[in-house]
Amino acid sequence: MRFVLLGAPGSGKGTQAGVISERLGIAHVASGDLFREAVTRGDELGRQAKSYMEKGFLVPDELTIRMILERIVAPDCAKGFILDGFPRTLEQATALDRALGERGETIDRVFYIKVATEELVRRLSGRFICRSCQTPYHLVSSPPKVEGRCDLCSGELYQRPDDLPETVRKRIEVYFEETAPLIDYYKEAGKLVEINGEGEIGGIGERLIAALPQGLKWE
Ligand code: AP5
């Protein structure tokens, strides 16, 4: 079970990947979360990633590919994984295919979560993230039970610095230039399933569940 969630910033990749990974008992591998953890640690990867992230640019492929290929061979990925935010360029997609191919593995399905641009901006401007477990909340559509605290781990909620309006616009622009071509890449590979990403969070989860390969059992 190896899946990719593809979609613009704010399309709900993190929200839905969390649900799927929990239900299927597979690892949720989010490139943005891994970069933010590195920034918090203040290590070399974090120092390099920070300057790109705060401007809304992509972190260079070389760094990103190395980080993800190391992550998906960890023991918790043995049963499968859902990639959230990776790949984001054609170079990343081909590197992933090559690395999996060398092990006789492949990506089983790619879910493209489609959301209108004005809705993306609305979602990102109201988003708060848990500092400890990275669960996303929204001021209006999915507020926490206790203000400022994560429902799952009671961690502190904060607003991501790259969710400021100017950086959000840049991230959406970068998505259309660099990541949207992956829609055709995976369509041609016969792996793409388009999911309407608008409406209730639970309803979108149901659409994703219905689009999973047949025979998968929920835990
Ligand atoms: P990353 O963290 O991956 O950010 P992103 O792709 O921009 O995605 P987001 O996390 O902003 O949105 P999401 O789709 O996960 O939506 P969410 O579920 O949170 O990347 C950050 C940066 O890291 C990049 O800019 C880049 O610099 C770097 N980076 C990461 N990966 C990289 C890569 N592969 N290559 C190079 N650089 C990379 O939902 C958003 C909000 O909407 C939340 O508040 C949520 O509660 C709410 N919401 C969700 N669903 C709904 C709904 N149905 N209705 C109403 N509200 C909803």
Side-chain angles (χ1 to χ4, degrees):
M1 291 193 283
R2 286 173 288 270
F3 305 119
V4 168
L5 280 187
L6 192 61
S11 56
K13 301 182 298 296
T15 302
Q16 299 299 340
V19 172
I20 292 186
S21 77
E22 194 187 320
R23 294 274 194 91
L24 289 179
I26 59 176
H28 172 190
V29 176
S31 46
D33 290 352
L34 292 172
F35 282 133
R36 279 182 289 279
E37 283 163 19
V39 170
T40 303
R41 286 195 305 271
D43 61 15
E44 186 51 30
L45 175 66
R47 273 194 295 279
Q48 293 195 50
K50 189 168 185 262
S51 60
Y52 296 95
M53 294 171 81
E54 59 195 12
K55 295 190 193 81
F57 296 144
L58 293 184
V59 178
D61 283 335
E62 194 199 338
L63 287 177
T64 309
I65 291 167
R66 196 183 326 134
M67 174 182 79
I68 293 293
L69 295 189
E70 282 172 14
R71 176 67 187 85
I72 61 174
V73 292
D76 69 322
C77 290
K79 193 178 158 195
F81 52 77
I82 181 150
L83 291 174
D84 156 12
F86 182 94
R88 239 162 157 120
T89 63
L90 281 171
E91 193 167 339
Q92 292 178 16
T94 51
L96 176 65
D97 283 347
R98 216 170 23 246
L100 290 175
E102 282 167 8
R103 312 203 303 254
E105 296 172 352
T106 187
I107 291 295
D108 298 304
R109 200 152 288 188
V110 177
F111 300 103
Y112 163 43
I113 307 183
K114 194 173 177 190
V115 173
T117 304
E118 59 273 25
E119 171 68 3
L120 301 173
V121 175
R122 191 194 69 75
R123 288 185 188 178
L124 293 176
S125 60
R127 173 167 65 179
F128 285 83
I129 303 281
C130 173
R131 213 177 270 288
S132 307
C133 73
Q134 315 272 346
T135 298
Y137 294 86
H138 190 274
L139 274 180
V140 179
S141 54
S142 54
K145 292 187 184 111
V146 177
E147 196 184 327
R149 291 282 153 198
C150 177
D151 292 352
L152 303 181
C153 72
S154 299
E156 182 201 0
L157 303 186
Y158 79 107
Q159 190 160 29
R160 271 171 47 178
D162 62 346
D163 278 349
L164 293 171
E166 202 182 311
T167 319
V168 163
R169 274 194 296 277
K170 183 41 123 183
R171 285 162 57 205
I172 293 174
E173 201 181 298
V174 167
Y175 165 79
F176 283 110
E177 275 169 19
E178 310 230 26
T179 309
L182 291 183
I183 297 168
D184 281 341
Y185 176 82
Y186 284 119
K187 209 182 264 175
E188 279 160 25
K191 297 188 175 178
L192 194 90
V193 178
E194 185 174 311
I195 302 287
N196 174 3
E198 301 206 22
E200 296 275 313
I201 290 174
I204 298 162
E206 293 305 318
R207 284 172 216 151
L208 276 163
I209 290 166
L212 284 168
Q214 285 186 347
L216 285 183
K217 292 265 186 294
W218 297 109
E219 292 202 326

